[in-house]
């Protein structure tokens, strides 16, 4: 019995490679008449800054001030990321007005990308995940991309990773 593909999760980092992966996700959703959900994960700004600084920033400054900064930055970033995902969807609809991207659910969330994508996969009833895979050259191929690598290793469903053609740059 062949597997049914009724629901596809497209994970994007909004890169050029992710745009190519969107075309693959849309093509598969169209072919199988599958539901398409698009997800983009934003980092937690305070956590990211703490990693870069090498210490927990929240412990050295007023907690409420950092929470306010994080909330403001997150709201603006969520708004911009959602607009960018919608822009990518609009580009796909130019080629095909009936493109499944037009009906796609768009989710922009905050957290650690691999963890949030895996959480969505475990709770969303998906049959397939499609995402871009970074990697230009032997060293980058070994890395595949830390998020893509985690998803490939831990996903409960098949993963389609899409690479840029050799003549393009990410």
């Amino acid at each position: 019995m062949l597997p049914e593909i009724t629901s596809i999760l497209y994970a994007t980092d909004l890169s050029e490679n992710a745009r190519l992966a969107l075309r693959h996700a849309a093509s598969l959703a169209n072919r199988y008449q599958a539901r398409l959900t698009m997800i983009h994960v934003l980092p937690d700004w305070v956590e990211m800054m703490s990693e870069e600084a090498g210490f927990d920033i929240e412990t050295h400054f007023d907690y409420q001030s950092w929470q306010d900064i994080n909330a403001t930055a997150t709201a603006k970033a969520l708004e911009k990321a959602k607009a960018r995902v919608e822009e990518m969807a609009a580009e796909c609809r130019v080629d095909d007005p009936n493109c499944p991207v037009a009906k796609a659910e768009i989710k922009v969330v905050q957290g650690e990308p691999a963890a949030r994508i895996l959480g969505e996969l475990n709770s969303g009833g998906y049959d397939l995940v499609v995402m871009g895979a970074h990697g230009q050259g032997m060293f980058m191929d070994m890395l595949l991309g830390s998020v893509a690598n985690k998803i490939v290793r831990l996903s409960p469903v098949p993963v389609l990773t899409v690479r840029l053609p050799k003549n393009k740059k990410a």
Side-chain angles (χ1 to χ4, degrees):
M1 179 173 189
L2 295 176
E4 290 287 322
I5 298 176
T6 60
S7 184
I8 299 170
L9 179 65
Y10 161 67
T12 180
D13 63 0
L14 306 177
S15 68
E16 186 63 31
N17 201 21
R19 289 176 183 267
L20 181 60
L22 175 60
R23 296 199 175 281
H24 286 272
S27 177
L28 288 165
N30 189 45
R31 160 91 65 196
Y32 293 103
Q33 297 301 298
R35 174 178 63 97
L36 181 63
T37 301
M38 302 168 70
I39 187 169
H40 174 65
V41 183
L42 292 166
D44 178 290
W45 304 112
V46 174
E47 184 178 311
M48 188 173 75
M49 290 171 64
S50 293
E51 276 184 29
E52 290 294 319
F55 61 90
D56 186 2
I57 287 178
E58 287 180 308
T59 62
H60 295 284
F61 298 96
D62 174 59
Y63 176 78
Q64 188 56 49
S65 296
W66 277 112
Q67 290 303 100
D68 293 344
I69 290 168
N70 197 33
T72 302
T74 298
K76 286 179 183 177
L78 284 170
E79 186 178 302
K80 286 182 179 183
K82 188 158 185 152
R84 180 71 188 270
V85 170
E86 288 171 351
E87 173 189 313
M88 290 172 67
E91 287 176 14
C92 186
R93 287 191 300 269
V94 168
D95 293 336
D96 178 7
N98 298 318
C99 179
V101 176
K103 297 176 273 185
E105 179 180 3
I106 298 172
K107 296 183 177 187
V108 179
V109 296
Q110 186 178 18
E112 195 278 315
R116 291 303 300 259
I117 293 166
L118 288 166
E120 182 66 24
L121 284 170
N122 285 312
S123 66
Y126 300 99
D127 304 304
L128 176 71
V129 60
V130 178
M131 62 191 308
H134 295 282
Q136 297 291 320
M138 189 168 51
F139 179 70
M140 289 305 290
D141 283 342
M142 287 189 314
L143 294 178
L144 177 65
S146 60
V147 174
N149 192 351
K150 284 181 187 174
I151 302 304
V152 167
R153 285 186 300 106
L154 301 173
S155 174
V157 300
V159 179
L160 172 62
T161 56
V162 179
R163 292 191 54 201
L164 278 175
K166 292 284 185 193
N167 61 350
K168 285 198 165 191
K169 294 183 180 176

